[in-house]
Amino acid sequence: MTEADQALKARIRALAYEHGFALCHFTRPRIPAWHRAALQRWLAQGFHGTMHWMADSERLQRRIHPHALLPGVRTVISLAMRHHPPAYTLSEALHAKGRGVIAAYAQGDDYHEVMKKRLKALARALDALLGRHDQRVYVDTAPILEHALAERAGLGWQGKHSLTIQRDIGSWFLLGELFTTAELPVDRAASAHCGRCRACLDVCPTGAIVAPYVVDARRCIAYLTIEYKGMIPHALRPLIGRRVFGCDDCQHVCPWNRKVVPADEDLLGVRREHVLPDLAQLFLHDEEAFRARFRKSPVRRTGRAAMLRNVCIAMGNDGDPRWRTPLRKALDDPSALVRAHAFWALTRLGGETKMLRAAVAREQDPEARRDMLRTLQEQKETS
Ligand code: SF4
Ligand code: SF4
């Protein structure tokens, strides 16, 4: 690399830091063969669950051939924006009776919005620096194998839990990309440093990390509580515990996160009421109240019904009889999803047989009714 190349990269990196990014690395728009093969195997096994867009052939082609996203793209700039790690240990989260757990990245503003603004501002600064070039910015919005590109760019390696890890800042960060037609000098790919560790595989409450680097989304609590909008499989409900939006367990135990010093600036603005929130306060029966509570938060994207479904499961797993009152009310919720999960949670809290039978009798939604009958059947089998 010439001195001029080095100076240009240093200038771009400095601009990225000024715009709030902690890491900024460069690569060509190519996905290494092993990442392509791993993706194909993952899809063939159905590990993407209901995320059908991931298997869509046109989108898949763009995912494995990133140059198809922007004609003439020569360089991918991979960027990391840090968020605050959880303010509690995994053990504290697991023992916080009556409290729900929201993943650390989702405890403040929606990172998609925050990062996109910063990426766009960075892109404007690059326009001034690079002159004629085309560019596009992405934050989890296009079919991009962002972890594979980050690894190739030397930003960090993909850990066995499938997230990207960097030696100094661990894995508490989010990725974004800037594609440009300008040909910039690239960085060396990162090497992996998981070694023989398998802490994430062992801690995963649902056994979702079925092999190193392979996460079966259908079992992953992050997918189940955020992406998945249907009835949660009965066998997984008890394993979800009180996690109401996402899951950080595999990151909590990662040795690379042990000594990480949080960033000075809290770019997403953690809200205290979203740090181990009181389950009672998450039980928002009203759509307007839900939108107000989760204004600007990524939780809002999941929608009230799916979030309440998660809160019902958390209450059932929490085991406190005081949750019977809100759960009884939820048996008449407008959402069949909420009614079925409230039913499951009430069964778990015990008693109320007459009232539960009445709820089945008046249930009009066939899927919710089936789910309730299944709950009763399971209860019979275990009693
Ligand atoms: S996010 Fe949670 S459920 Fe998903 S792989 Fe990690 S530990 Fe397992
Ligand atoms: S917990 Fe261990 S195996 Fe898992 S990502 Fe971290 S270092 Fe790798």
Side-chain angles (χ1 to χ4, degrees), residues 51 53 101-103 105-106 108 110-113 140 220-230 232 243-247 282 284 287 290-291 293-313 335 337-338 341:
M51 296 184 284
W53 65 91
V101 186
I102 293 179
Y105 84 87
D110 189 341
Y111 84 89
H112 296 89
E113 307 300 328
D140 194 27
C220 175
I221 296 168
Y223 162 81
L224 289 168
T225 56
I226 300 173
E227 299 289 342
Y228 181 65
K229 300 293 186 284
I232 301 228
R243 300 167 189 83
V244 292
F245 190 89
C247 169
L282 293 180
L284 300 160
E287 183 71 48
F290 174 80
R291 282 210 223 114
R293 163 105 195 203
F294 293 109
R295 208 180 136 261
K296 286 181 151 189
S297 152
V299 175
R300 203 177 144 151
R301 286 169 181 257
T302 288
R304 188 195 75 98
M307 185 62 177
L308 244 71
R309 169 200 64 183
N310 303 342
V311 178
C312 286
I313 292 179
S335 158
L337 191 67
V338 176
H341 287 80

Side-chain angles (χ1 to χ4, degrees), residues 19 64 94 151 194 214 220 237 259 261 266 275 314 318 323 326 341-342 348 372 379:
H19 286 81
I64 55 185
L94 295 177
E151 189 171 274
C194 281
V214 185
C220 175
R237 290 180 196 180
K259 289 186 187 144
V261 178
D266 174 14
V275 178
D318 189 53
W323 302 132
H341 287 80
R348 207 163 157 81
M372 290 173 176
Q379 188 195 32

